[in-house]
Amino acid sequence: MKIALAQQNYHIGNFEKNVQKIIDGISWAKKQNADLVVFSELCVCGYPPRDFLEFNDFIDKCYESIDMIRQHADTIGVLIGSPARNTLLEGKDLFNAVFLLHEKEIKSEIHKTLLPNYDVFDEYRYFEPAYDWRVMEFKGKKLAVTICEDVWNMGDNPLYRITPMEKLMEFNPDVMINLSASPYNYAQDIVRNSIVKAHVLKYKMPMLYCNTVGSQTEIIFDGGSLIYDVNGCRIKEMKYFEEDYQVFDLNELLIKRKDSGSEATAYYYSAFEVGRNMDTLEYLVGEKNIDEIYHAIILGIKDYFNKMGFSKAILGSSGGIDSAVTQVLAVEALGKENVRALLMPSQYSSSHSVEDAETLSRNLGNQYNIVPIKKIYESFLEELKPIFKNEPFSVAEENIQSRTRGNLLMAVANKFGYILLNTSNKSELATGYGTLYGDMAGGLSVLGDVYKMQVYALAKYMNKKREVIPVKIITKAPSAELRPNQKDIDSLPEYEKLDRILYQYIELRQGPKEIIEMGYEKELVDRILKLVNTNEYKRNQFCPIIRVSCKAFGVGRRVPIVGKYLS
C-alpha cells in the first residue's frame, strides 16, 4: 500500500479554498499511484476554529465540504479532519473527527479522545471526547488512526487517564497514522520526533504523522510531518514552514532489520526539558532557534496579511534594534514595495539614530518618510501647561512623545490602507517597558514573543551575507530616546540577566525560590517578577503576538490582571 501525506496550509472558515486545496492534494496523490492520502486535523474548516464551532451553519458547511471532497475519493482512500455531530443527547454536540472516504462514500469515522485544554488549546470547550475506539480497515490493512493530542499522553506524568493507542492495540493494527495541527515553538521539532519515535518503539509498528503548516493569527504551524519505520528509524521529515507532499510504501516501512541502530526505548522530551541543561541565554540565541524564529515570523506576517486580505504594512523606524529587525522581517514577508517606514525624531533623538534608520530603508529599498514630532510635542505641553503647571519632567512627558508617534503612524495607516506592525519585544512587554496607545499600538506584534537578546541574534543572522542592518544599530546601547541621555538600563536590569530570569519564570514556570536557587540575587528576582505581574493590564490591551516560544503572552497565558501574587 502506498500512503501519501499532504502537508497543507488552510484558512479557517474558507471552505471553498480549503476544499479546492484538498482536492488538489487528492489529484496529486492519484498521480503518484497512492492508495491512500492523509491530510491534517480539522483540515476541512481550518484549525483552530474556536467559537465558529458554535454556529450550526458553520458545521453544515463542513458536511457540505465533505460531500464535495468524497466525490474525488473514488479510486483512492482519503483521510480528512472535520468537526462531526454527536448523535447522542448526552455530552457536547460535536466531535473532533477523522473521516475515511473511499469509493465516493464515507467508509469510517473516528473521534479524538484527548482534548487539550492548556496553553493555546481550548478543545474541551467545544468537543466531546471519544467514547469508543476502533481501527479503520482499508485494503486489507488495519489503520490505527489518531488525532494530534491522542499520541501525546506519554512521559512520567501523563496528562490524561486514557491512552488511545492502548485501546487500538486490542485490534492488532498494522500502522499508526496521526492527523495533527501541532503549533510551532522552537523546541517543537525535538519534542515531535521524540513522541513519534517513542510510539514506534513501544508499539512496534511504523507511524505516519501529518501536521498542518501555516499561520492562524498568532499561532504558527510549522509542518515537519514525520515518517518512521517499524525499526524506529526516521525515514522522512517533511519541509518546515511550507507546504509539502510525499508518498511512502507501507510495505517498506514494515520491513524489520536487526541493524536498525534504534534504541530499545526512546525518551519523550517535553518542551520544558529541551535546552534545560544549557545556559539559558545560550539556548535562546542558539543558531537553530534563531533560524527557525526567522522563518516562523516571516510565515506569520505573510499569512496574517494574505488571509486577512491586507497587503501593505507600516512601522515606526527609530534607528533602534527592534524596529530594524521588524522592518527586515516585514520586507522579506511582504516585499519592499509593500512596507513603509516613518522616522519620527524628537529633540531627544540622536542624529545617528535618524541616519541609521535612513540607511536601513535605503538598504532594504522600502519607502520611508521623516516626520519630526518636536512641534507637535511642544503643542501638547503648551495646552497642558495649565494642568501640569510647574511639575517636574516625568514619564508623562515621555509618553506624550510615544503617543504622538502612535497617532502619526495610525493616521498614515488609515489614509493609505496600511496595517501597523508593532515592534515591541518580549522583554519590554514582560516588564511593562512600553506606552499604551503609543509604542504598544499596532495590528500585529512581530517580536512580542522574542526576547531582547534574541532580537540582537536575529539582527546578526540577517547580516550574515551582507550588512542589511547598519552595525551601529546593533552595537549602540538601547534607548527609547524620550529624555536626554536615556538608556534602557536606567529602567531595566541588563538584558543578559533579565532575559534569563524571564525565561525561567514565563516559559519554565519557575517560582522565585527556584530562580534564586539558580544563583540569581533575591532583590533582582523579586523586582523582575513584580514588574511582570503588575503589568498584565498593559498586555491585556495589546495586539495579537506571533507565537514562537512554548509560552507566549496572549491566548496561551491567562494571568489575572488584578492578582496580588508576586506583585
Side-chain angles (χ1 to χ4, degrees):
M1 180 189 296
K2 293 178 72 175
I3 303 177
L5 298 189
Q7 177 178 290
Q8 296 182 322
N9 185 344
Y10 306 106
H11 186 184
I12 297 169
N14 191 339
F15 293 99
E16 183 179 354
K17 184 175 181 180
N18 292 345
V19 167
Q20 188 56 57
K21 192 178 282 284
I22 292 167
I23 290 171
D24 290 344
I26 294 171
S27 298
W28 174 87
K30 286 179 178 178
K31 292 176 182 176
Q32 309 305 311
N33 296 316
D35 299 287
L36 177 70
V37 57
V38 181
F39 296 88
S40 60
E41 179 182 15
L42 294 184
C43 58
V44 167
C45 62
Y47 187 96
R50 294 181 176 155
D51 281 5
F52 282 167
L53 293 166
E54 297 179 348
F55 293 86
N56 280 328
D57 179 64
F58 187 84
I59 306 304
D60 287 341
K61 291 185 184 301
C62 290
Y63 276 97
E64 290 167 8
S65 298
I66 293 170
D67 285 339
M68 285 187 276
I69 294 166
R70 68 183 173 88
Q71 301 306 314
H72 297 266
D74 43 12
T75 60
I76 189 172
V78 177
L79 285 175
I80 54 170
S82 174
R85 288 195 171 97
N86 181 5
T87 57
L88 298 180
L89 290 176
E90 297 85 4
K92 298 184 177 66
D93 292 337
L94 298 173
F95 292 108
N96 184 338
V98 168
F99 293 86
L100 171 60
L101 312 178
H102 188 225
E103 297 174 333
K104 298 186 178 182
E105 298 176 355
I106 297 175
K107 294 292 187 180
S108 185
E109 175 184 332
I110 64 102
H111 304 142
K112 188 173 184 177
T113 304
L114 309 183
L115 302 174
N117 196 38
Y118 56 84
D119 199 68
V120 299
F121 303 105
D122 207 1
E123 289 193 33
Y124 194 65
R125 176 185 175 105
Y126 310 104
F127 296 118
E128 181 70 8
Y131 52 81
D132 62 1
W133 299 270
R134 58 189 176 276
V135 294
M136 289 180 162
E137 298 195 22
F138 181 72
K139 291 196 174 183
K141 298 292 184 182
K142 295 179 181 178
L143 315 178
V145 178
T146 54
I147 306 173
C148 201
E149 187 83 353
D150 285 344
V151 299
W152 289 77
N153 198 40
M154 298 193 83
D156 297 331
N157 185 23
L159 188 60
Y160 308 93
R161 295 181 178 181
I162 294 175
T163 298
M165 269 309 303
E166 294 294 329
K167 302 286 187 179
L168 295 175
M169 285 302 292
E170 298 173 9
F171 300 93
N172 298 312
D174 298 295
V175 61
M176 295 179 285
I177 300 176
N178 183 269
L179 285 73
S180 190
S182 182
Y184 165 77
N185 66 72
Y186 42 78
Q188 188 68 358
D189 59 334
I190 297 171
V191 178
R192 182 187 297 132
N193 273 275
S194 75
I195 199 77
V196 173
K197 183 170 183 176
H199 270 73
V200 170
L201 296 178
K202 180 176 181 179
Y203 298 111
K204 298 178 174 58
M205 73 181 79
M207 185 169 182
L208 295 93
Y209 177 103
C210 186
N211 193 27
T212 192
V213 70
S215 176
Q216 308 291 2
T217 312
E218 62 274 273
I219 304 175
I220 306 291
F221 298 96
D222 58 341
S225 300
L226 293 168
I227 299 85
Y228 274 72
D229 70 9
V230 69
N231 306 291
C233 295
R234 188 175 68 193
I235 301 303
K236 185 70 178 180
E237 186 173 38
M238 291 168 65
K239 292 178 181 178
Y240 278 81
F241 306 113
E242 58 181 293
E243 293 189 331
D244 194 11
Y245 302 84
Q246 299 288 336
V247 64
F248 307 90
D249 191 323
L250 178 58
N251 292 331
E252 293 181 4
L253 299 179
L254 287 165
I255 297 173
K256 295 182 179 179
R257 300 194 312 272
K258 292 182 179 179
D259 60 342
S260 65
S262 291
E263 301 171 6
T265 59
Y267 182 74
Y268 160 59
Y269 290 91
S270 72
F272 308 108
E273 292 171 302
V274 178
R276 285 195 76 166
N277 294 325
M278 298 174 61
D279 173 74
T280 299
L281 202 56
E282 182 182 344
Y283 170 66
L284 290 175
V285 302
E287 187 175 351
K288 171 191 172 293
N289 288 347
I290 296 303
D291 178 77
E292 288 181 6
I293 290 169
Y294 175 81
H295 289 97
I297 293 176
I298 288 171
L299 176 59
I301 298 171
K302 192 177 296 184
D303 268 13
Y304 185 80
F305 276 72
N306 289 341
K307 291 176 180 179
M308 292 290 287
F310 304 138
S311 60
K312 298 184 294 183
I314 191 170
L315 73 155
S317 180
S318 66
I321 191 76
D322 300 314
S323 61
V325 168
T326 302
Q327 194 170 328
V328 173
L329 291 165
V331 168
E332 182 64 29
L334 305 174
K336 61 183 180 182
E337 68 279 4
N338 292 315
V339 177
R340 188 173 194 164
L342 234 57
L343 286 59
M344 298 167 286
S346 73
Q347 60 267 49
Y348 304 120
S349 301
S350 60
S351 59
H352 66 79
S353 290
V354 179
E355 293 167 4
D356 293 341
E358 282 193 274
T359 301
L360 175 64
S361 283
R362 286 197 294 267
N363 289 348
L364 292 171
N366 64 265
Q367 183 180 2
Y368 71 94
N369 302 92
I370 301 176
V371 184
I373 68 165
K374 183 175 183 291
K375 292 181 180 179
I376 303 172
Y377 170 59
E378 288 175 344
S379 70
F380 270 104
L381 296 182
E382 183 64 30
E383 295 300 325
L384 287 167
K385 190 177 290 184
I387 300 173
F388 281 12
K389 296 181 179 177
N390 295 318
E391 291 289 324
F393 185 98
S394 70
V395 70
E397 285 82 1
E398 291 184 22
N399 288 345
I400 290 172
Q401 298 168 63
S402 183
R403 293 190 180 109
T404 298
R405 291 183 173 117
N407 261 319
L408 292 171
L409 285 163
M410 287 307 304
V412 179
N414 290 164
K415 194 70 173 178
F416 300 104
Y418 291 97
I419 297 299
L420 175 58
L421 295 179
N422 183 273
T423 64
S424 301
N425 63 65
K426 190 170 188 175
S427 307
E428 293 172 347
L429 290 176
T431 54
Y433 193 58
T435 304
L436 279 172
Y437 328 119
D439 59 334
M440 291 184 72
L444 180 69
S445 170
V446 174
L447 299 177
D449 199 28
V450 181
Y451 288 112
K452 185 75 170 188
M453 296 308 297
Q454 291 178 310
V455 176
Y456 279 107
L458 277 169
K460 293 172 184 175
Y461 176 91
M462 293 165 174
N463 276 6
K464 282 175 71 173
K465 294 182 179 178
R466 67 181 182 93
E467 187 181 311
V468 179
I469 298 176
V471 172
K472 284 190 290 185
I473 290 179
I474 299 173
T475 57
K476 68 184 176 185
S479 169
E481 294 190 332
L482 297 174
R483 64 174 183 265
N485 302 313
Q486 185 182 34
K487 299 289 185 294
D488 287 6
I489 200 170
D490 299 337
S491 304
L492 297 175
E494 296 174 0
Y495 284 115
E496 289 88 346
K497 291 183 179 179
L498 176 64
D499 288 354
R500 284 185 170 99
I501 293 173
L502 289 175
Y503 180 78
Q504 293 296 325
Y505 179 54
I506 297 167
E507 272 85 349
L508 301 189
R509 268 95 92 185
Q510 298 295 298
K513 180 181 177 182
E514 292 89 347
I515 299 174
I516 291 166
E517 287 176 351
M518 295 174 66
Y520 297 102
E521 304 94 329
K522 182 181 185 303
E523 184 180 350
L524 178 64
V525 172
D526 290 345
R527 176 191 173 196
I528 290 172
L529 270 51
K530 183 175 182 178
L531 283 172
V532 175
N533 285 19
T534 55
N535 282 288
E536 187 62 31
Y537 77 99
K538 285 189 176 183
R539 293 187 292 272
N540 199 59
Q541 301 178 64
F542 196 57
C543 56
I545 299 169
I546 296 176
R547 176 186 184 271
V548 296
S549 76
C550 61
K551 182 59 67 175
F553 295 126
V555 294
R557 188 176 185 272
R558 304 176 188 182
V559 175
I561 294 175
V562 296
K564 181 61 180 170
Y565 176 61
L566 301 179
S567 63

